[in-house]
Amino acid sequence: MSIATTLIVVSDRAAAGERADETADLLRPVLAAARCDLQHVEIVPDDREAIAAAINLAAERTPLVLTTGGTGCGPRDVTPEATRDAVDYEIPGLGEEMRRRSVASTIHALGSRALAGAVSGDAVVLNLPGRPQGAVECFGFVAKALPHLVAVVTGPVSDASHESPKA
């Protein structure tokens, strides 16, 4: 069974139509390989309220919500704050693992503020980098954990579902 997924692209320029975003096209085969069905792609500007609203709407439609962009340290990078506005609680291990693995490629990964969280009963939300290849790479670092997390968050789950999966 595949996990219905929404991708929210956070970019002022893409939202204004000034540039095309390649992230959905690059992520689609990686998502499919991880048994995630990309059903919706939204593009929103780097605006905290717009991002939080898009996350809330996406969480009503699909149990996995991915964002890309706005996770750095720039003045318009507000995706983590918007995610905190939308989720009921954080799932810190996903962001920690993405940073841990990404630093092998670039020391700049230490500036990532990407996080993940849950909208209880509805969805797991995961922030990915704005650079399309970085989004693909980081999704791959945590993809195996997502089916279990989505099952637990959207519940109910049996005790057997808490067994440790093989890495």
Side-chain angles (χ1 to χ4, degrees), residues 83-92 115-125 149-150 152-155:
T83 300
R84 283 189 184 100
D85 293 344
V87 301
D88 296 313
Y89 55 90
E90 292 184 28
I91 305 171
L115 60 88
V119 178
S120 291
D122 290 327
V124 171
V125 180
L149 289 172
V150 168
V152 171
V153 168
T154 60

Side-chain angles (χ1 to χ4, degrees), residues 42-119:
E42 308 283 335
I43 299 176
V44 299
D46 291 276
D47 175 82
R48 185 172 176 166
E49 289 179 11
I51 299 164
I55 291 170
N56 284 322
L57 177 62
E60 292 175 9
R61 295 191 300 206
T62 61
L64 180 60
V65 178
L66 305 175
T67 70
T68 179
T71 60
C73 296
R76 300 280 297 156
D77 292 333
V78 296
T79 301
E81 289 77 16
T83 300
R84 283 189 184 100
D85 293 344
V87 301
D88 296 313
Y89 55 90
E90 292 184 28
I91 305 171
L94 295 175
E96 291 167 0
E97 180 66 358
M98 291 187 309
R99 279 183 289 280
R100 185 185 73 79
R101 301 270 304 270
S102 294
V103 80
S105 299
T106 175
I107 194 70
H108 300 298
L110 293 176
S112 170
R113 299 181 309 114
L115 60 88
V119 178

Side-chain angles (χ1 to χ4, degrees), residues 141-164:
F141 294 154
V142 299
K144 288 183 180 180
L146 295 174
H148 173 73
L149 289 172
V150 168
V152 171
V153 168
T154 60
V157 294
S158 69
D159 288 340
S161 72
H162 291 285
E163 295 175 10
S164 298

